[in-house]
């Protein structure tokens, strides 16, 4: 997909002005002062209105993280504007060094076909937040996750702070082993207005976005916005389609001069058909054109009866090569309110309450379970419902050169996964089960679980400005995660046990320390280092899923409780930054000692995959990120980055009585080497960019006997903005080409797990060349 580096901000303003309004620890405040409002309210009569104090960063950091004591970078709203509208904001974050974002779906609606890695850690091992609300895992079927693409439209994001290696202690997450990604939504405008955007593209892509800002409604400063986002596209392979719609709303109410109340609500609904997973054998023998049989139900019936299309007959497992349909349907609700207050000249408080709900259905048409109709297949639904409520509160105290921050986060979550089956007709001319309408009742339930989890996290930290150019930061967080489950339904004929494992697993850490420093030893030059310990709570899921709760018997679960320990790691970082007028650079070296690495080893056919949960022991990780942005002349910037990661297992693994030679092998799915560059030019409303990405070889199996090849991708974009056209303040036209050379490549991998050795259906083919055009207006 077309996109540019986060450093395109330099194109417009120059490197000297590229300071992002980002925070490391959200404490400190700007001096309270009155500001003149817009045309509505008292300002229309020449009055001045006192505005509340605005939280500001303890360290002002630029797009390469200048001032931060850790490797921390910022993605601005301008950077999001350069990718195709409606594409998941993770795409823009993926332009940073050390981050690997992959997707088969051009607009990023389908979660199954996308993945996000940062320094080798998956999205479920990172911390994600939106306006301080924990989003949880970003992957497909994440038990606690609300993907950011389901939470907020790109146009409503003001910035994204990315902390690689070690996340901020005050981030409400129990999974940030490898860093944090924090999204911040913009506030309603003081001026009444709005935005309209319409995108057209290849494969019937159609995306509409509208937003209305109320402006200041009264002298106290009340204001709100509401937006609607609708996008749809046909799959570029196969005969299905994808659809999503989303509503965002936010209200801001100042209370006096020192307090601000905010409340927000987000809702989304999706029906996203996925792309089928491929194996190396299938790609070699059949090619890159394999997908579901949909809408040919007769072909799916024949395959379930052992009558396969000619191109599949030579495969070792033709039944597992293709199914009738795979689609996800989901609904997400996210609401919250926050109260930020300056209690005294030295003391601030920040409190956020939130509630999250989701219903998620992952559908497959399984040829391994027949229907009562006599059909040899059925509509399989891995259904899940999640409800989360919680709050986080912080007290921030300024004393001399210290900024002290103490905070507490609590959350209660209920999670109910189940595996259900629905009747399919036994005639090629009959209408198959409608997964989107979903009005039937299951004829079979294999299992159903209920989980309840309470999370308690406390943090204490101090940022000490020892000297004008030397800052030291230290603190710790304490974590208790108490997770319990009970069995809602058990099909003993399927599970092979009259009693499924159940009970509780607790993840406890008395103190997870963090220590870091920043030394600006010369103008525009600085060193930083960071040392931190992190822990991830046990993930949760149902039977045959990748979690410790997936033990097949009570005895297995008892054994797991004795043997398993939460994943932990020590992260060490040291780096150098240059932030000069015409050049910005970053070199970051990191080392990670990863203990109790827990991996999902998948076996069996894709629709009925059995995930063995294995503790693969310790992992030794070493890596380097480097980037440089040069602005040789005004309006032109040249960006290059390279990242290298060596992540090796430190012991062999015994599984099923077989010893696997795992020691010294590279972790699968994440590229050892990545290179990214972009050329960007912007002047007088005209903008053009060209970017390139190289993705190195990635291993498929744990013992590295199978791998996918490297590839190059090139994208191009051009735009022009007219000012003051009729009633529009800004009228903009965008055009972009993705995958200019029409490269055939494997993008996402590991969506269905990875094998210990050999081949497996878990590879996604990348999208071919595609075109997109957008017309947008700001009023």
């Amino acid at each position: 997909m077309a996109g540019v580096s986060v450093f395109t901000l330099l194109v417009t303003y120059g490197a000297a002005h590229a300071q992002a309004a980002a925070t490391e620890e959200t404490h400190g405040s700007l001096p309270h002062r009155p500001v003149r409002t817009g045309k509505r309210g008292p300002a229309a009569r020449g009055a001045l209105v006192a505005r509340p104090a605005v939280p500001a960063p303890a360290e002002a950091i630029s797009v390469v993280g200048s001032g931060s004591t850790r490797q921390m970078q910022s993605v601005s709203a301008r950077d999001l504007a350069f990718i195709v509208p409606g594409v998941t904001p993770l795409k823009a974050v993926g332009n940073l060094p050390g981050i690997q974002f992959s997707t088969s779906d051009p607009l990023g609606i389908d979660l199954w076909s996308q993945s996000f890695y940062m320094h080798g850690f998956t999205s479920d091992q990172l911390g994600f937040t939106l306006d301080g609300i924990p989003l949880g895992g970003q992957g497909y079927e994440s038990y606690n996750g609300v993907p950011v693409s389901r939470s907020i439209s790109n146009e409503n994001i003001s910035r994204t702070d990315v902390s690689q290696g070690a996340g901020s202690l005050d981030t409400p997450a129990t999974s940030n082993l490898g860093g944090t990604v924090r999204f911040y939504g913009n506030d309603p405008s003081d001026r009444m207005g709005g935005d309209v955007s319409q995108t057209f593209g290849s494969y019937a892509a159609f995306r509409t976005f509208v937003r209305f800002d109320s402006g200041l409604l009264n002298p106290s400063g009340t204001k709100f916005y509401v937006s609607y986002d609708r996008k749809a596209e046909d799959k570029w392979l196969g005969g299905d389609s994808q659809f999503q719609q989303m509503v965002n709303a936010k209200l801001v109410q100042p209370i006096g001069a020192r307090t601000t109340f905010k409340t927000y609500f987000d809702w989304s609904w999706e029906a996203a058909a996925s792309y089928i997973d491929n194996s190396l054998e299938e790609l070699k023998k059949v090619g890159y054109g394999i997908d579901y049989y949909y809408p040919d139900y007769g072909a799916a019936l024949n395959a379930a009866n052992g009558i396969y299309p000619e191109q599949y007959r030579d495969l070792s497992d033709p039944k597992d090569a293709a199914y009738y349909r795979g689609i996800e349907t989901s609904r997400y609700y996210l609401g919250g309110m926050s109260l930020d207050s300056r209690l005294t000249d030295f003391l601030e408080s920040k409190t956020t309450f939130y509630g999250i709900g989701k219903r998620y259905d992952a559908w497959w048409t399984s040829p391994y379970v027949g229907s009562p109709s006599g059909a040899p297949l059925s509509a399989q639904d891995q259904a899940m419902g999640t409800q989360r409520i919680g709050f986080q509160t912080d007290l921030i105290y300024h004393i001399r050169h210290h900024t002290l921050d103490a905070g507490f986060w609590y959350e209660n979550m209920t999670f109910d996964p189940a595996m259900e089956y629905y009747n399919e007709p036994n005639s090629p001319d009959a209408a198959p089960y409608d997964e989107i309408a979903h009005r039937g009742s299951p004829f079979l339930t294999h299992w159903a679980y209920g989980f309840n989890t309470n999370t308690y996290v406390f943090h204490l930290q101090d940022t000490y400005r020892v000297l004008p150019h030397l800052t030291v930061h230290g603190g710790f967080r304490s974590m208790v995660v108490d997770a319990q489950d009970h069995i809602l339904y058990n099909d003993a004929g399927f599970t092979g046990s009259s009693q499924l494992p159940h009970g509780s697993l607790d993840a406890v850490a008395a103190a997870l320390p963090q220590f870091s420093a920043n030394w600006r030893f010369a103008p525009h030059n600085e060193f930083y280092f960071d040392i931190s310990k992190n822990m991830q709570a046990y993930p949760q899921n149902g039977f045959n899923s990748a979690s410790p709760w997936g033990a097949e018997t009570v005895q297995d679960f008892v054994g797991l409780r004795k043997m398993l320990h939460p994943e932990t790691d020590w992260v060490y970082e040291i780096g150098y930054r240059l932030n000069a007028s015409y050049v910005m650079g970053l070199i970051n070296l990191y080392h990670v000692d990863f203990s109790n690495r827990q991996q999902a080893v998948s076996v069996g056919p894709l629709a009925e995959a059995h995930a063995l949960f294995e503790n693969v022991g310790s992992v030794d990780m070493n890596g380097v990120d480097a980037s440089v942005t040069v602005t040789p002349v005004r309006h032109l910037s040249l960006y290059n980055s390279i990242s290298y990661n060596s992540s090796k297992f430190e012991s062999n693994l015994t599984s099923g009585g077989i010893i696997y030679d795992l020691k010294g092998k590279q972790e699968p799915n994440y590229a050892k080497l990545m290179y990214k560059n972009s050329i960007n030019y912007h002047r007088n409303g005209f903008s053009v960019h060209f970017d390139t990405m190289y993705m190195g070889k990635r291993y498929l199996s744990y013992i590295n006997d199978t791998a996918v090849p490297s590839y190059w991708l090139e994208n191009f974009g051009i735009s022009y903005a007219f000012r003051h056209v009729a009633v529009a303040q800004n009228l903009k036209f965008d055009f972009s080409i993705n995958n200019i050379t029409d490269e055939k490549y494997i993008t996402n991998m590991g969506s269905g797990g990875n094998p210990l050795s050999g081949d497996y259906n878990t590879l996604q083919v990348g999208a071919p060349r595609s075109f997109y055009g957008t017309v947008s207006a700001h009023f």
Side-chain angles (χ1 to χ4, degrees), residues 161-219:
D161 293 345
V162 182
S163 181
Q164 293 170 270
S168 176
L169 292 172
D170 63 351
T171 302
T174 59
S175 56
N176 51 333
L177 288 168
T180 59
V181 182
R182 308 205 294 186
F183 298 92
Y184 296 90
N186 53 38
D187 284 346
S189 172
D190 286 350
R191 178 185 176 275
M192 181 183 288
D195 296 271
V196 177
S197 174
Q198 183 64 61
T199 299
F200 304 91
S202 299
Y203 314 107
F206 187 91
R207 192 255 183 175
T208 303
F209 173 81
V210 293
R211 166 169 162 160
F212 170 73
D213 285 82
S214 68
L216 294 175
L217 297 174
N218 51 45

Side-chain angles (χ1 to χ4, degrees), residues 359 363 379 381 420-423 433-443:
R359 167 70 189 198
W363 294 93
D381 177 20
E420 301 172 339
Y421 295 84
Y422 295 80
N423 186 72
Y433 185 81
D434 189 341
E435 296 93 343
I436 298 176
H438 189 23
R439 294 193 178 94
S441 298
F443 68 84

Side-chain angles (χ1 to χ4, degrees), residues 51 75-76 87 203 391 408 450 530 532 593 603 750 761 774:
R51 304 290 291 162
V75 179
S76 71
V87 172
Y203 314 107
F391 73 92
F408 179 73
D530 175 82
S532 66
D593 290 322
V603 295
N761 296 54
T774 301

Side-chain angles (χ1 to χ4, degrees), residues 16 28 42 50 56 76 86 104 189 316 337 345 423 509 518 583 628 681 738 744 752 764:
S76 71
S104 298
S189 172
S316 57
M337 59 184 69
D345 290 341
N423 186 72
N518 178 286
V583 61
V628 61
Y681 181 80
N738 302 332
K744 286 184 171 59
Q764 295 272 328

Side-chain angles (χ1 to χ4, degrees), residues 277-504:
D277 281 342
N278 297 272
S279 67
L280 293 172
E281 179 198 26
E282 291 166 1
L283 293 174
K284 180 180 180 180
K285 292 183 178 180
V286 182
Y288 284 72
I290 295 180
D291 199 53
Y292 294 92
Y293 293 115
Y294 183 91
D296 189 348
Y297 184 70
L301 272 178
N302 286 336
N305 285 311
I307 306 171
Y308 307 108
E310 183 176 355
Q311 67 266 31
Y312 295 160
R313 292 173 185 170
D314 292 335
L315 297 175
S316 57
D317 190 358
K319 179 179 285 191
D320 198 33
Y323 305 99
Y324 173 65
R325 194 182 199 189
I327 188 171
E328 57 162 306
T329 59
S330 59
R331 297 187 302 275
Y332 292 87
Y333 305 87
L334 186 153
M337 59 184 69
S338 65
L339 194 68
D340 299 346
S341 183
R342 190 173 181 89
L343 304 174
T344 71
D345 290 341
F346 305 101
L347 182 64
E348 300 173 54
S349 71
K350 180 180 178 66
T351 301
T352 300
F353 293 88
Y354 63 89
I356 295 170
K358 77 172 182 180
R359 167 70 189 198
Y360 196 95
D361 295 273
W363 294 93
W364 297 75
T365 306
S366 172
Y368 300 98
V369 177
S371 292
S373 66
L377 40 73
S378 58
Q380 171 186 307
D381 177 20
Q382 185 158 348
M384 61 180 66
T386 302
Q387 293 81 40
R388 297 164 50 197
I389 57 172
F391 73 92
Q392 181 178 21
T393 184
D394 281 79
L395 284 175
I396 302 131
Y397 184 64
H398 306 269
I399 178 172
R400 298 178 66 84
H401 301 293
H402 294 266
T403 302
L404 299 168
D405 178 0
F408 179 73
W409 170 44
Y410 168 76
E411 178 182 278
N412 175 264
M413 179 184 71
T414 59
F415 169 58
D416 303 310
M419 182 68 78
E420 301 172 339
Y421 295 84
Y422 295 80
N423 186 72
E424 290 283 17
N426 195 22
S427 168
D429 299 322
Y433 185 81
D434 189 341
E435 296 93 343
I436 298 176
H438 189 23
R439 294 193 178 94
S441 298
F443 68 84
L444 175 65
T445 299
H446 272 165
W447 50 261
Y449 272 86
F451 293 83
N452 187 274
T453 304
N454 288 286
T455 299
Y456 312 85
V457 178
F458 170 78
H459 73 266
L460 178 65
Q461 58 188 348
D462 179 22
T463 300
Y464 176 32
R465 197 166 297 279
V466 184
L467 298 169
H469 301 296
L470 175 63
T471 300
V472 176
H473 170 262
F476 70 93
R477 67 194 320 232
S478 300
M479 182 191 305
V480 176
V481 182
D482 175 30
Q484 301 184 29
D485 83 301
H486 58 280
I487 302 165
L488 300 178
Y489 188 84
N490 174 33
D491 176 7
F494 172 77
T495 64
S497 175
S498 60
Q499 185 178 8
L500 292 181
H502 63 280
S504 64

Side-chain angles (χ1 to χ4, degrees), residues 75-86:
V75 179
S76 71
R78 181 177 297 275
D79 301 311
L80 286 171
F82 274 89
I83 64 175
V84 175

Side-chain angles (χ1 to χ4, degrees), residues 583-635:
V583 61
M584 299 180 73
L586 166 71
I587 298 177
N588 180 79
L589 292 90
Y590 60 92
H591 170 77
V592 179
D593 290 322
F594 201 157
S595 300
N596 299 305
R597 185 75 163 96
Q598 296 162 7
Q599 297 278 40
V601 180
S602 294
V603 295
L606 190 60
E608 297 283 319
H610 180 69
L612 304 174
F613 193 77
E614 299 281 5
N615 186 332
V616 296
S618 299
V619 176
D620 180 76
M621 183 187 299
N622 296 281
V624 58
D625 300 325
S627 67
V628 61
T629 302
V630 179
T631 310
V633 296
R634 291 189 64 190
H635 314 298

Side-chain angles (χ1 to χ4, degrees), residues 731-764:
L731 180 64
K732 186 179 179 183
F733 295 87
D734 295 89
F735 176 74
S736 62
I737 307 175
N738 302 332
N739 190 6
I740 296 173
T741 60
D742 202 23
E743 177 85 359
K744 286 184 171 59
Y745 64 101
I746 295 170
T747 174
N748 186 31
M749 57 187 299
S751 55
N754 293 83
L756 281 169
S757 174
D759 200 2
Y760 192 63
N761 296 54
T762 191
L763 307 175
Q764 295 272 328

